[in-house]
Amino acid sequence: MAEKSEKMSENLISSKTSLKGPKTSAKRQKGENKATESSKGKQTQLGKNDEVDLSMAGMGHPEIFPLVLTTKTQEIFNCRVDEDVTEENCFKLIKKEDIIQDLKTRAAISDFYPVKKVVLEYPGEELLVVFDAKFQYGQNFYFVASEEAKENLLKPPETAEEKEEKEEENREETLEVHPYKPPVHKPWVSLGSEKEVEEESVKDTVTKIKYMISRVRRKFGAPIKFTDKNASHVKDSYVECTPYQDKTFSIKMLEKDVGVQMVPKVREASTQTKWTYPKNAATQYFPRQLSNEEKEESLSSEKLKEFLTSVRLRMEIALQQNEIMDAFFDDWKALAEDESSSGGKPDVYLKAHRSFTDLRYLKDRSISCICWHPTIYGIIAVSARQRLSYEEQVNLSDKSLLQQSVILFWSFFDPIHPQLMLECPEDIYCFQFSPSDPNIIAGGCINGQVVLWDISQHEEKLQNAKTVADGIEITAVNTPSLLQAQQSSTEPPLVKYCAVSSIQYSHKKPVTDIHWLPGYFEDNQMGATFENRTETCVQLVTCSPDCSILFWDIPATKLPEQPSSEEVTEKEIFDMPADVPDTFKHLDLCWKPLIKINLCESDTNTEYCPVRISLRELQYHYKTSEKVESLSTLEIPAKESPYAEMSTPSSKKLRVLENISIDFFVGTEDGEIVYSDWKMEVNGDSAKPVRQKQTQKYIIHTDAINTLQRSPVCKDIVLSIGGRNFAIWKEGVTNGAILQSSCSAGRYTAGQWSLTRSGVFFIGRDDGNIDIWDLLKKTHEPSHFQNISESMITFISPWTASPKQHFLGVSDDLGVLRVLEICQTLSHPSRNEHANILDYFEKEAKYLKYCEEEFQEYQEFQAKTELRWSWKHRGRKHMTTLQKTKEEMEEQESADNTVFPDLKKQILTDLGLVKGQEMLSSSDA
C-alpha cells in the first residue's frame, strides 16, 4: 500500500511538471499585460481577489481538487465507499454530462457546486474521481482537473525494474533454440566422500544368535482327539484355560540402545505477483436453439433411448420415495417443536416495535378502536373518546364535545406526525374499512349516528409515507423556505365526512359495534338474503345499548324523485363544501336503516342492551385491488371507486341464497350472551315486517361484554370476554359455553384471537397486563402474561404484515398506541395444531351435551319417583288426616320442631360454614 501511494505521488509530480509550461506562459502573459490590468477599476480587482482557489497548488498539485461527497451523491454516481470504490480500487470515472445535470438539478446543494467552473472548463468527456481513504488532501474524495494527470494515474509509467524484466523476457525470446543432446556417461572420480559416508553409517558390532527349533518326525500329522465334558461337574459351570510357563524355553531378553535422527529436507521458494490496474470486461451470450430436424434426430437417437432405459428404474424408486416420505421436511424444525411441546421453555414475548401518541388530539382521551389499513403496509388508524366514569357513561348522548374529535392515521415510517385525520361530528366508538374498497370507512358515533368517509384522494399520500419521511430527513437544510415547507408538511390533511345518518332514525345511544356485510350477498327489508352480483360491500350492521340492531344499506347514487315542496330542503341538504367528496352526498342527513331489530325475550318481553355483535358470514378477507396497486405509478380519478358508479339491480333477477347463516351472537351490557337471527315475518294484522322472537339467553359474565369475536380459523367458535372471566362458545351447541374460565384477579377489558394460531388469544386487563392463552398448553390459566402499560388496556388488534412478521396493536386509557411484534412461537402454528384444537373443542361440546343429558335423566327420574310416591300414599294420607285429633297434631308439630335443628346443622356442615363440633357445643349451650 505504501508503494502504491508513492507511485501515485510520483505520477502527480510528473503531471505537475508536464503542466508547468502552460502555467509559466500564463505568468509571462500576465506580466506583459500588467499595465493594462492596473488601469481597470477597483471593483474588478476585488472580484478576482474574492475567488477562492480550492486546488492543492500550495502542496504542489494544482490539478487536484478535494471534494466532500455525501452518501446521497455517492449513490447517484455509484461511488459508494467500501462498495463501488475501495482503498485498493480507488478510481471512478464519471461523465461530465452527469455532473452538469446534477448541478442543474440540485444547484447549490450539489457537492460539485464549489468546483462548478472547473468542471465546465474541463476539456475531456469523463472526469476522474479518486477515493482518498487516508485523507491525504483533507477530504474523502478528490478529482483530477487535467487529462494528462488522469492518464498518468490510470496508466502509470513503467519503472526501471519493470523495464528490466521486459528486456529479459525479450532476450529469452530472441535466444536461439539449440537441438537436444543426450548426456554422455563419464567414469566416476572419487573425491573422498565415500569415507565420510562409511564413518556415518551404522554397523552391527554384536554377533547374531542363531536358534534352531526341531520336532520329532513321528508327531507330524498326528490325529487330534476331542472329548466331551459335562459342565455340571465343574464349579460354577466355568472352565478356565489358565496360561502356564513352559520350562523347556527360558530365553533372556537382551537390551540394545540404538539412536536414530531424522533430518527434514528444507526447500526455499518464492513468488512475486505483478500488480495491474483492474479492467472491466463483458461478454455477450445467447441460448442455443435447435431446429426441428435436430430435435427429431436427438429424440430418435439410440443414446437417448439407452440413457432413459438405464435411469428408468432409479427414477421410479425416487418417485416412490417422494410419495412415501417428504424429502423437504425440516427435521430440525420439527425437533424444536417437539422440545417445546415436551416441556421446554421457548421464548414467548411481545417485542415493542412502535409507539404513537398525540398531545393535541389524544391528550386526556382514551383510544376506543384500532383498525389496520388492509392493503398499505404500516398504516394504522385509531379513534378516541373522552375518559368518563361509569355514571357519566350512562348519559353519553347528552355530553358535548369539548375538543375536536378525529380519527388519526399513523405510519411506521413517521411515528411523530399523523399522516391523515378524519373529521368526526362526535366521538367515534368504532369504525371499519370497507372490504371491497379500503378507501371507504364507516364509523359509529357517541350520539348513535353512522358516518361515512372517502379517503381515495389521500390514498397516494398514505402509500408514499416512507418516501415523504425520507424526503424530510434529506432536505433538512438551514434555509428558511425549506424549514417552513417542512413545518407545513408535518400538519396532516383533514378529511371531512361524506355522509351521516339521520338523527331521527339512528340509534338513541352510542354505536358500540359496527361491521360490513360481505359483498357476495345483501338483505332486503324482510331479512331474506339475495346474491350481490357487483361484489361490492353496500350494507352495514350496527348495535347499540338502546336495545336495537340496525342494518344499513347504501343505495344507488341516483337521487330519488321528491315533491316540489321538498326541493328547497334537498338543495340545502346536498349543498356541500367543495373539499368534501361527493361519493355519498345523496345520503347525508337522510340515510335510514334497512332493517331494525329490537332484542327482547320471547316470554317476558324483557329487552336486551347489545354492545357487541358477531355474525357468521363476516369472515371476509381484504384483497389488494388493482386500483391500489396501480396508484403507485399512475393517478386514478376518484370516480373509478366502485361506489361512484353503483347501480341498483332488479330484485326479480337476483337469486335467493339459501345457505347463508342468518344467526348471530350478541353480548349485552349486563354480561348476557344472546343467540338469535334477523329473519322477519309479515304480521297479519298490520301487514308490516316483524321479527320472530326466537332468542336464547346465557348468563356467564358479571359485567358488560367488551369482546365478542369469532375465531379467524374456526368460524363456528366464538370468544366472549366480560367482567373477570371469558367463555368460548360453539355455534350449534345450545347447552351453554364449551369452555369457561375462572374469575381472574383483574378485570378483563379487551381481547382478540390470534390470526394464525387457532388455540391462541390475547386478553387485556385493567392493570395494563396482557394475558396470552394457549389452549394446547393450559386451559385453567394463561400460559404467559406481560406488562404493557401503566393504565387500562382499551383495545387489541392483531395484523399479519407477512408470513414472518406479525404485529399486535394495543391501546390504553392514556391515549397511547403501542405496536408490538409477536414472536415466532405465538405466530407460527405447530404440526397438526388446527386438528388438535378442533378435536379439543369437539370433546368439550360432547362432554357438555353428556352432562345435559344426565341432568335431564335425573330430573325425569326424580319427577317419576315423586309422582309414584304421591299416588301410593294419597289415600293413606287422606285417612290419617281425617283421624288425627288435636293432640296428635300438636305432637306432630313438636316432632317437626325437633327435626328442623338437625336438618339445619346438616346443611351448614355440608356447606363448610360451621363445623360439627361447634354446632354440638352451641346446641348443648
Side-chain angles (χ1 to χ4, degrees):
M1 208 51 224
E3 295 177 359
K4 180 179 175 182
S5 59
E6 291 177 0
K7 289 183 179 180
M8 292 175 60
S9 302
E10 293 175 359
N11 298 337
L12 292 175
I13 293 170
S14 62
S15 62
K16 173 191 171 184
T17 307
S18 60
L19 294 174
K20 192 172 182 181
K23 186 175 179 183
T24 307
S25 60
K27 288 183 178 180
R28 186 181 300 110
Q29 185 178 359
K30 183 178 178 181
E32 292 174 357
N33 299 331
K34 187 174 182 181
T36 308
E37 293 178 356
S38 61
S39 63
K40 293 183 180 180
K42 184 178 181 181
Q43 185 177 0
T44 307
Q45 294 178 1
L46 290 175
K48 288 187 177 182
N49 294 332
D50 291 340
E51 294 182 358
V52 180
D53 188 8
L54 299 178
S55 64
M56 293 288 102
M59 297 177 63
H61 301 289
E63 67 280 358
I64 298 299
F65 289 86
L67 289 176
V68 178
L69 298 187
T70 60
T71 306
K72 185 67 177 179
T73 306
Q74 295 176 17
E75 293 178 356
I76 293 175
F77 294 101
N78 295 327
C79 57
R80 293 168 292 185
V81 177
D82 295 334
E83 293 184 13
D84 299 319
V85 293
T86 59
E87 190 172 356
E88 292 79 12
N89 184 14
C90 57
F91 302 111
K92 180 66 179 179
L93 290 174
I94 301 177
K95 293 184 178 181
K96 180 180 177 181
E97 299 176 357
D98 297 342
I99 299 176
I100 295 174
Q101 184 65 29
D102 183 66
L103 290 171
K104 293 179 180 179
T105 305
R106 299 196 295 173
I109 305 177
S110 176
D111 293 337
F112 291 95
Y113 185 79
V115 292
K116 177 180 177 181
K117 183 177 180 181
V118 181
V119 172
L120 296 176
E121 294 178 355
Y122 187 75
E125 296 180 356
E126 291 182 340
L127 282 81
L128 177 63
V129 177
V130 184
F131 171 54
D132 193 358
K134 295 184 178 180
F135 290 85
Q136 184 178 0
Y137 297 106
Q139 304 296 345
N140 59 348
F141 284 87
Y142 64 86
F143 87 98
V144 184
S146 66
E147 285 289 328
E148 185 176 358
K150 181 180 75 174
E151 293 298 328
N152 291 335
L153 286 175
L154 293 178
K155 297 180 181 180
E158 297 181 352
T159 59
E161 296 179 356
E162 294 177 353
K163 291 181 179 180
E164 291 178 359
E165 291 179 359
K166 285 188 176 182
E167 291 178 358
E168 291 179 357
E169 292 177 358
N170 296 332
R171 291 174 186 173
E172 293 177 356
E173 292 177 357
T174 54
L175 290 177
E176 297 180 358
V177 180
H178 300 281
Y180 174 73
K181 294 181 180 180
V184 180
H185 297 282
K186 297 180 180 179
W188 179 71
V189 179
S190 177
L191 299 178
S193 58
E194 66 276 6
K195 294 181 180 180
E196 296 180 359
V197 174
E198 186 177 357
E199 291 176 357
E200 296 295 335
S201 60
V202 180
K203 296 180 180 180
D204 294 334
T205 56
V206 182
T207 56
K208 295 182 179 180
I209 303 174
K210 295 181 180 180
Y211 293 97
M212 183 179 66
I213 302 174
S214 62
R215 190 180 186 184
V216 182
R217 181 70 180 85
R218 63 175 178 270
K219 291 184 179 181
F220 287 173
I224 302 173
K225 294 182 180 180
F226 295 96
T227 58
D228 297 332
K229 189 175 182 179
N230 195 348
S232 60
H233 296 165
V234 186
K235 184 180 180 181
D236 297 334
S237 300
Y238 174 73
V239 178
E240 182 181 5
C241 297
T242 58
Y244 63 94
Q245 186 177 3
D246 191 359
K247 298 180 180 180
T248 307
F249 302 97
S250 58
I251 303 174
K252 295 181 179 181
M253 184 179 295
L254 300 179
E255 295 182 358
K256 181 180 180 181
D257 294 335
V258 178
V260 179
Q261 183 179 3
M262 299 296 295
V263 180
K265 295 182 179 180
V266 181
R267 180 182 177 185
E268 295 181 359
S270 62
T271 180
Q272 180 66 29
T273 304
K274 185 178 179 182
W275 178 85
T276 56
Y277 61 92
K279 297 180 180 179
N280 296 328
T283 180
Q284 181 70 25
Y285 64 92
F286 58 90
R288 181 184 177 187
Q289 297 180 354
L290 300 177
S291 61
N292 296 331
E293 297 177 355
E294 292 176 346
K295 292 180 181 178
E296 293 178 358
E297 183 179 356
S298 61
L299 291 176
S300 60
S301 62
E302 293 295 332
K303 291 184 178 179
L304 182 60
K305 294 180 181 179
E306 292 176 357
F307 170 73
L308 295 177
T309 304
S310 61
V311 300
R312 180 179 60 83
L313 181 60
R314 286 183 289 170
M315 286 297 298
E316 289 181 358
I317 296 174
L319 293 175
Q320 292 175 1
Q321 291 177 350
N322 290 340
E323 290 293 331
I324 296 173
M325 182 183 65
D326 186 7
F328 301 100
F329 181 74
D330 192 352
D331 295 325
W332 292 106
K333 184 178 180 181
L335 181 62
E337 292 177 357
D338 295 340
E339 288 180 355
S340 61
S341 61
S342 62
K345 293 184 178 179
D347 294 334
V348 179
Y349 59 89
L350 299 174
K351 181 181 178 182
H353 186 73
R354 289 287 190 276
S355 179
F356 305 95
T357 188
D358 190 270
L359 299 178
R360 178 180 177 184
Y361 297 101
L362 298 180
K363 184 179 180 181
D364 298 332
R365 296 174 71 84
S366 176
I367 295 179
S368 58
C369 186
I370 301 173
C371 281
W372 295 87
H373 197 284
T375 57
I376 302 177
Y377 175 83
I379 299 297
I380 184 171
V382 297
S383 62
R385 61 179 176 87
Q386 294 181 1
R387 290 204 299 265
L388 304 175
S389 63
Y390 182 78
E391 291 78 8
E392 293 173 339
Q393 292 181 6
V394 176
N395 298 321
L396 285 176
S397 58
D398 299 335
K399 286 283 180 182
S400 60
L401 288 178
L402 300 179
Q403 64 184 74
Q404 184 181 9
S405 181
V406 294
I407 294 178
L408 299 178
F409 282 70
W410 299 92
S411 174
F412 283 1
F413 309 107
D414 189 4
I416 300 177
H417 308 101
Q419 301 298 314
L420 194 66
M421 292 191 305
L422 305 185
E423 183 185 16
C424 308
E426 298 286 344
D427 279 351
I428 298 296
Y429 258 58
C430 54
F431 66 96
Q432 287 288 335
F433 289 89
S434 172
S436 57
D437 186 3
N439 294 323
I440 305 301
I441 304 172
C445 295
I446 190 176
N447 60 354
Q449 289 181 296
V450 181
V451 191
L452 293 176
W453 292 273
D454 184 4
I455 61 171
S456 57
Q457 299 178 359
H458 305 275
E459 183 180 9
E460 188 174 1
K461 173 180 174 58
L462 296 178
Q463 288 182 339
N464 299 332
K466 181 178 180 181
T467 307
V468 173
D470 294 342
I472 292 175
E473 295 177 0
I474 293 171
T475 60
V477 185
N478 296 328
T479 58
S481 59
L482 290 176
L483 290 175
Q484 292 175 2
Q486 180 179 345
Q487 292 175 0
S488 61
S489 63
T490 57
E491 186 68 24
L494 182 64
V495 180
K496 297 185 178 181
Y497 51 88
C498 302
V500 64
S501 62
S502 173
I503 300 179
Q504 180 181 359
Y505 299 99
S506 299
H507 291 285
K508 306 307 177 185
K509 289 188 177 181
V511 180
T512 54
D513 204 1
I514 186 170
H515 296 284
W516 288 88
L517 293 181
Y520 54 82
F521 77 91
E522 55 181 305
D523 297 333
N524 60 4
Q525 293 183 351
M526 299 299 298
T529 56
F530 294 88
E531 63 175 343
N532 185 1
R533 295 178 181 176
T534 61
E535 296 185 357
T536 303
C537 296
V538 294
Q539 290 185 340
L540 294 162
V541 57
T542 59
C543 68
S544 175
D546 62 352
C547 309
S548 65
I549 297 176
L550 302 182
F551 285 77
W552 303 83
D553 181 67
I554 302 177
T557 56
K558 184 178 179 180
L559 295 175
E561 297 182 359
Q562 297 182 357
S564 59
S565 60
E566 298 180 3
E567 289 182 357
V568 178
T569 306
E570 178 187 353
K571 184 176 181 181
E572 293 176 358
I573 292 174
F574 296 109
D575 190 10
M576 305 179 70
D579 57 345
V580 178
D582 58 352
T583 310
F584 305 107
K585 66 180 181 180
H586 60 287
L587 299 177
D588 194 23
L589 298 177
C590 62
W591 192 16
K592 302 178 183 179
L594 179 67
I595 304 175
K596 182 177 182 180
I597 300 176
N598 290 320
L599 287 179
C600 59
E601 197 169 351
S602 57
D603 299 334
T604 61
N605 288 331
T606 304
E607 292 184 339
Y608 302 110
C609 300
V611 292
R612 292 290 185 271
I613 185 172
S614 175
L615 285 77
R616 182 181 178 89
E617 299 298 333
L618 294 183
Q619 299 294 326
Y620 43 70
H621 297 280
Y622 293 95
K623 296 181 179 180
T624 305
S625 61
E626 296 179 358
K627 173 185 174 183
V628 175
E629 294 175 354
S630 60
L631 271 174
S632 59
T633 56
L634 182 63
E635 184 178 359
I636 298 180
K639 67 178 183 180
E640 294 189 7
S641 173
Y643 294 91
E645 299 179 356
M646 189 173 57
S647 61
T648 306
S650 176
S651 61
K652 297 180 180 179
K653 299 180 182 179
L654 297 179
R655 180 169 56 89
V656 180
L657 301 179
E658 301 292 342
N659 57 347
I660 300 298
S661 175
I662 60 175
D663 300 326
F664 58 86
F665 282 90
V666 167
T668 66
E669 272 188 333
D670 300 326
E672 301 168 335
I673 299 296
V674 180
Y675 186 66
S676 182
D677 57 37
W678 69 69
K679 191 174 182 180
M680 311 289 287
E681 287 187 352
V682 179
N683 191 358
D685 299 334
S686 61
K688 293 183 179 180
V690 180
R691 193 184 69 86
Q692 293 178 335
K693 297 181 179 179
Q694 298 178 357
T695 58
Q696 298 175 4
K697 180 182 70 172
Y698 307 94
I699 301 176
I700 297 292
H701 306 280
T702 59
D703 204 347
I705 304 297
N706 54 66
T707 300
L708 188 65
Q709 186 199 13
R710 290 181 180 267
S711 172
V713 184
C714 310
K715 294 184 179 180
D716 57 344
I717 301 299
V718 181
L719 171 66
S720 65
I721 302 174
R724 295 178 180 271
N725 64 340
F726 71 88
I728 295 180
W729 311 79
K730 183 177 176 61
E731 194 166 13
V733 179
T734 59
N735 303 327
I738 61 176
L739 181 63
Q740 181 180 353
S741 70
S742 59
C743 291
S744 65
R747 186 167 60 91
Y748 291 154
T749 56
Q752 282 287 336
W753 283 100
S754 172
L755 299 179
T756 53
R757 293 194 57 185
S758 54
V760 175
F761 53 91
F762 309 92
I763 297 180
R765 301 193 309 194
D766 57 352
D767 56 358
N769 291 337
I770 287 184
D771 292 344
I772 304 172
W773 288 79
D774 190 351
L775 299 180
L776 290 180
K777 292 185 177 181
K778 296 179 182 179
T779 57
H780 64 284
E781 64 178 1
S783 58
H784 305 279
F785 71 92
Q786 184 172 341
N787 183 264
I788 303 299
S789 174
E790 297 179 356
S791 61
M792 178 180 65
I793 303 296
T794 59
F795 205 88
I796 296 176
S797 178
W799 181 53
T800 301
S802 64
K804 294 183 179 181
Q805 196 173 29
H806 303 261
F807 295 105
L808 188 70
V810 180
S811 63
D812 58 12
D813 199 39
L814 299 178
V816 179
L817 170 64
R818 294 175 175 85
V819 178
L820 310 174
E821 188 172 357
I822 305 175
C823 64
Q824 183 177 2
T825 307
L826 296 176
S827 58
H828 293 267
S830 59
R831 286 185 302 168
N832 303 325
E833 178 177 347
H834 183 59
N836 293 336
I837 203 67
L838 288 179
D839 187 30
Y840 170 73
F841 289 149
E842 192 66 29
K843 287 181 179 179
E844 292 294 327
K846 290 181 180 178
Y847 177 73
L848 185 64
K849 185 177 181 182
Y850 170 76
C851 294
E852 186 72 17
E853 292 175 354
E854 289 291 326
F855 182 71
Q856 290 179 359
E857 290 180 1
Y858 173 74
Q859 285 184 334
E860 292 176 359
F861 174 77
Q862 191 175 10
K864 289 180 182 179
T865 304
E866 292 179 355
L867 182 63
R868 195 176 299 169
W869 186 86
S870 63
W871 277 98
K872 184 177 180 180
H873 299 279
R874 185 170 61 88
R876 186 179 301 174
K877 285 184 177 181
H878 182 68
M879 293 297 294
T880 54
T881 52
L882 292 176
Q883 295 176 1
K884 282 183 179 179
T885 61
K886 185 177 181 180
E887 296 177 354
E888 291 177 350
M889 293 178 66
E890 290 179 354
E891 291 178 358
Q892 182 68 27
E893 185 177 357
S894 62
D896 292 340
N897 292 334
T898 56
V899 173
F900 175 74
D902 297 337
L903 181 62
K904 178 181 178 182
K905 179 185 69 174
Q906 184 65 29
I907 293 174
L908 294 177
T909 305
D910 294 341
L911 292 176
L913 300 176
V914 179
K915 296 183 180 180
Q917 297 178 357
E918 296 177 359
M919 196 69 187
L920 290 174
S921 61
S922 62
S923 60
D924 295 340

